[in-house]
Each structure stands twice: as structure tokens, then as C-alpha cells.
Amino acid sequence: MENILIVDDEKHYPMIIGEILQEEGYRTFTAPSGMEALDILNTQLIDLVLTDVKMPGMTGIDLLEKIKELKPDMPVIIMTAFGSVEKAVEAMHKGAYTFILKPFENEALIAHIAKAISVYKIVEENNILKDAMRTRYQFDNIIGKSKPMQELYEIIQKVAPTNASVLIEGESGTGKELVAKSIHYNSPRKNKSLVAVNCAAFAESLLESELFGHEKGAFTGAANMKKGRFELADKGTLFLDEIGELPMTLQVKLLRVLQERSVERVGGTMAIPVDFRLIAATNKILEDEVQKGNFREDLYYRLNVVKTTIPPLRDRKEDILMLINHFIKKYTSEAGSVSRVTGIDRKAAQILCDYEWKGNVRELENVIERAVILSSGNLISPTDLPTQLRQSSGIALQLDGIPDGVGLSETLAAVEKRMIQRAMKLSGNVQTKAAQLLGIGKSGLNQKLKKFNLDRELNQDK
């Protein structure tokens, strides 16, 4: 049901229009002044404003300007008498959807409203689509040719066209969110929103507001009404990451939403229908959590319509080389001319293939990103890899090309200076970003820039 705000200082006119629109299935709000209209806009979800031009205090034109500052896409229809057509034309130039002359035919008003709301809904849906929507997630974003991955592709292909709830289990860093995105963007809901929530990232009180939304004044700090993630995911997909961390009180509320397909905002009493597909992910084994009493059994069965488990990287080592090449291509493309890396040498590849990867694909990606940044050659070599990887393989650091008689402190200083120079170049001389690439604090980077007189070089470049 769409909500329409009618603004007119004439006492009976808004009531008459309201009755007409209510018969057409709209919910109406009325305000006798522009200031009261703005109060309603801050507390209610309004889909269209119908306002008179001539009003004491704030005119309809003034109200239009305020609305466009707060909500640029909100459609505003101007009502005006024949003698105020010039004002109506001015309103059109300032962003009004259209104007209609009093007295008007009811059918003409209803037609204008229906068309304006239809356009507004399309614009609103497009605005809440994330940047990821523009980059379609297909299966080629989930890298691997091993048997476990082929089984995963098959499950995605079968479940994506349906509305079934999906539970994704897997260790941290295995790519659960990528699987969720692949399911969504290969589903009939792909042109609607994919709304993600990390259940472990919020305190319980904040998570409740994030999921269900809240009404104005529902709690201290709730200055305005806010839609929850369930409402934002309407007609699309809701992805609940780390569902195993969901507090028991919210598990009860989630179960009710899944059963009734409606939500109540915090502090509200009205049930709001929602149409969403649920994908949940966890690094826990929920069946074990049910046995421990940490997760509701009835909610588990609601989530577990289709369950898929993403294998850890150590169980699909035949995919590692494919992943390495994928990440090299990705990060050399981002680095542009700063990096000369085109591949990886045999020894370095062997180290990476033998490593256990407790952090899974995410850890491997970070290692390759670091190596692309720090490598000075065309191929990533063992010296470009973190110390713990080299040590785990039993390969000692080889200092080829360093002349005899050069001390350890001189060598380390030279390597340190080169790494700092590369990080500064890659970050565009933004010290905060360079410090992040090097894994040190900004104050530590400042000290090292002074130590190697690199701060003078930066000043000269300016």
C-alpha cells in the first residue's frame, strides 16, 4: 500500500481528496502547512506528496524545495488554481513531477498519481541496489576445478532458480559470501536488492534495529523512522552472514518472520508484509549448536531447506594454482604500471601449494596481493612471500645478488627502504595507505621516512 501526503490549508479539501485516494487503495496523510508536512515526511514512509501552491507561511514552492533537498527522487504533484499557472511552471523547473489545475477530474488526478508512484518505485529500487549489482556474480568468480567445487557449482545451478532458503556452511575465508552472491545473481530476483548483514558485527540491541527497523522515538537516539534489512530486501534476497552468532531472542523473532512473512519495526505495532529469499551462512556446524542448546532446532530446520558446505582450501589443493593465477591477474591489473609481475616461479608456487592455509582463500588472496606489491621482478619468488610460509616449507631466504662482505644491518636497511619506496609509490604518497600496505602504524612510517631521508624526496616532488 502506497502512502500519499496531501498538503493544503483548506480544511475540507484534503479530506475529500483523501477519501477519493483511499477508495483507490492508497493510504493518505494530511497536513495543513508545509512545516507539518515536513514532520510527517521525517516520521512516515511517503511515496508521493500532493501539495497546494498558495499556503500561509511556507508555500508549496518552498515545500517542494525542502523536499528535494531531503529526498531528491520523491515525486511532488502541485495543485493550483488557474490564476497561479506561472507558479506551477516554476515548480516544474524546480523538480515537481507535474501540476494539476483546480478543480480537476478525479480520474486525471488518479492517473497522474499512479504514474508518478510507478516511476518512483523503479528509481527507489535502483538506488538501493549495491555496487555489486553492476558486476554480475557468475560461477567464474568462484575459482576451482576440483571435485568438491564441481559439486558446489551443481548445487548453485539447481537452487538458484528457486525461492528455497539456503544454508551455507564453511570455515572463515572459504568464500561463503561469493556463493550467496552467485545464487542471488543467477536467480529470478537478480534485478532486485541483495541485502547483507553480518550477525556477529552488531550488539544485540543494534542488530535488532538493523534487521527489523525502528519507529521514531522507539529508543534513545531514534530521531527518525528507519527501514530494517528485511524491508530493504523486499522482492530480493537477504543474506545473513554468521547466523550462528544470532542471539536466542532474535532467533525467535527471525523464526516468526519466516513463518508469517511480515515484520514489525522496533517500537511499532503494524505488521509489514515482506517478500524476500533468505540465504544464511555460518562457520559453525549448526546441527552441533542445536545439540548444545545454542541454536533453536525449529529455526535450524527453517534455514536448512538446502544446505551446502564449502570445502576448506587444504582439501582442494588442486585449485591453488588456479587461484594464484586469478589473484595475480586481479592485483597486477589494479597496480597498473607499478607492478611488473606476470606470474609466479616454480619454487614459490610449490611453497604455496604445500601450505595448510588455515585462513583459506582469503589468506591466499592476501599473500598474493602483498607479493604483487613488493615483488621487483616479473615472477613472484620465495623472497616475496611472508616469512612463515618460507619457514613452513623449510626453504631458507636466499640473498642472491648481494655482494660478499655486506653486513646484515646494511642488507635489511636496503630491503626496508625499497619496500617503503614501493608502498609510497603504490599509495600515491598517501602515508596512511602506505602504512596499511606495510602493516605498520602511520607514526612508525613517519620515523622510517625520516630515517632514510625519504621525507625530503617527497617534499622535493611537491
Side-chain angles (χ1 to χ4, degrees):
M1 180 184 294
E2 290 82 11
N3 298 331
I4 298 176
L5 173 58
I6 306 166
V7 190
D8 199 318
D9 62 319
E10 292 185 30
K11 186 174 180 180
H12 300 294
Y13 213 75
M15 294 176 59
I16 296 171
I17 297 175
E19 290 178 2
I20 295 170
L21 297 181
Q22 287 166 21
E23 290 179 1
E24 295 296 319
Y26 296 112
R27 184 183 181 194
T28 61
F29 298 81
T30 60
S33 69
M35 291 303 297
E36 291 181 60
L38 292 175
D39 289 338
I40 293 173
L41 284 167
N42 286 326
T43 58
Q44 301 293 334
L45 293 176
I46 301 299
D47 298 293
L48 179 141
V49 177
L50 182 64
T51 182
D52 193 21
V53 172
K54 288 188 175 182
M55 294 184 293
M58 183 182 293
T59 68
I61 304 296
D62 297 332
L63 176 59
L64 169 66
E65 291 177 339
K66 291 287 186 183
I67 292 172
K68 290 302 174 180
E69 288 176 10
L70 297 171
K71 301 179 180 182
D73 298 319
M74 173 75 67
V76 178
I77 294 179
I78 299 292
M79 299 182 293
T80 182
F82 181 78
S84 301
V85 172
E86 288 184 4
K87 285 288 185 183
V89 173
E90 179 187 352
M92 294 289 289
H93 287 300
K94 292 185 176 182
Y97 177 77
T98 191
F99 69 90
I100 187 166
L101 295 175
K102 294 180 179 179
F104 45 74
E105 297 290 334
N106 294 347
E107 291 79 8
L109 175 64
I110 292 167
H112 282 307
I113 288 173
K115 186 175 180 180
I117 288 178
S118 176
V119 173
Y120 177 55
K121 288 297 182 183
I122 294 172
V123 172
E124 188 182 43
E125 287 174 2
N126 288 337
N127 285 342
I128 62 176
L129 292 178
K130 298 182 179 293
D131 290 340
M133 184 65 187
R134 299 184 185 95
T135 305
R136 302 293 181 173
Y137 278 81
Q138 303 295 336
F139 300 145
D140 58 354
N141 287 274
I142 306 173
I143 307 300
K145 59 181 179 181
S146 61
K147 184 178 178 181
M149 295 305 293
Q150 293 300 322
E151 292 173 352
L152 177 63
Y153 299 147
E154 186 176 351
I155 290 174
I156 294 174
Q157 286 176 322
K158 289 181 177 179
V159 75
T162 74
N163 277 318
S165 296
V166 181
L167 177 61
I168 307 169
E169 292 185 346
E171 296 178 5
S172 295
T174 50
K176 298 186 289 294
E177 187 170 357
L178 272 179
V179 172
K181 288 176 177 177
S182 289
I183 292 172
H184 172 74
Y185 289 116
N186 287 278
S187 77
R189 296 173 180 262
K190 62 186 177 181
N191 292 322
K192 303 296 181 180
S193 299
L194 170 62
V195 179
V197 184
N198 188 325
C199 298
F202 297 93
E204 181 174 347
S205 58
L206 293 176
L207 181 58
E208 183 179 21
S209 175
E210 283 295 319
L211 290 174
F212 300 95
H214 62 253
E215 298 290 355
K216 180 180 180 181
F219 50 83
T220 303
N224 296 298
M225 181 279 301
K226 176 184 176 181
K227 280 186 177 183
R229 301 297 179 94
F230 287 105
E231 289 182 75
L232 293 176
D234 189 47
K235 303 296 190 299
T237 302
L238 179 66
F239 174 51
L240 295 182
D241 200 6
E242 303 301 347
I243 188 78
E245 305 297 331
L246 194 67
M248 192 64 73
T249 53
L250 296 187
Q251 291 181 31
V252 175
K253 294 193 72 172
L254 174 58
L255 180 63
R256 183 177 178 183
V257 173
L258 294 176
Q259 290 171 338
E260 299 182 5
R261 291 290 159 172
S262 65
V263 296
E264 289 184 11
R265 299 190 195 111
V266 177
T269 57
M270 184 175 65
I272 302 168
V274 285
D275 171 21
F276 63 92
R277 187 206 192 140
L278 182 65
I279 302 176
T282 177
N283 59 12
K284 296 182 177 181
I285 300 176
L286 285 192
E287 197 168 358
D288 292 346
E289 295 300 305
V290 170
Q291 297 300 319
K292 296 174 185 177
N294 297 330
F295 203 85
R296 291 183 62 97
E297 185 175 19
D298 46 5
L299 177 58
Y300 171 68
Y301 288 120
R302 279 278 182 177
L303 300 174
N304 191 26
V305 177
V306 177
K307 181 170 75 174
T308 182
T309 301
I310 305 178
L313 190 54
R314 61 183 173 274
D315 290 347
R316 55 182 187 105
K317 289 197 170 185
E318 59 266 49
D319 295 332
I320 290 178
L321 279 177
M322 186 181 294
L323 285 162
I324 290 170
N325 290 327
H326 172 74
F327 292 135
I328 288 175
K329 183 178 179 180
K330 174 182 177 179
Y331 288 108
T332 53
S333 176
E334 290 182 6
S337 60
V338 175
S339 176
R340 294 189 295 164
V341 172
T342 58
I344 186 169
D345 71 21
R346 184 180 57 80
K347 288 183 179 180
Q350 191 62 54
I351 293 173
L352 297 181
C353 288
D354 290 341
Y355 190 62
E356 284 302 301
W357 299 111
K358 294 180 181 180
N360 291 295
V361 178
R362 185 185 297 138
E363 183 183 7
L364 173 60
E365 181 174 4
N366 291 341
V367 167
I368 297 300
E369 181 181 11
R370 175 187 182 276
V372 168
I373 292 170
L374 299 179
S375 178
S376 58
N378 293 327
L379 298 178
I380 295 173
S381 68
T383 58
D384 300 318
L385 303 178
T387 304
Q388 71 269 22
L389 267 72
R390 298 194 303 269
Q391 290 177 342
S392 69
S393 67
I395 297 179
L397 178 63
Q398 296 179 4
L399 301 174
D400 296 334
I402 297 177
D404 293 337
V406 176
L408 177 62
S409 61
E410 294 174 353
T411 302
L412 293 177
V415 172
E416 186 177 20
K417 181 178 180 180
R418 181 168 66 86
M419 289 178 66
I420 292 170
Q421 288 172 318
R422 288 182 63 80
M424 290 296 292
K425 185 176 181 181
L426 187 64
S427 66
N429 290 332
V430 177
Q431 293 185 24
T432 302
K433 293 182 179 179
Q436 290 174 349
L437 290 173
L438 293 166
I440 61 176
K442 186 179 178 182
S443 61
L445 176 60
N446 280 326
Q447 292 174 5
K448 293 180 184 299
L449 289 171
K450 293 177 182 177
K451 173 184 174 182
F452 297 114
N453 293 322
L454 294 176
D455 55 335
R456 295 181 183 176
E457 293 179 14
L458 290 174
N459 290 331
Q460 288 174 358
D461 290 341
K462 292 179 182 178

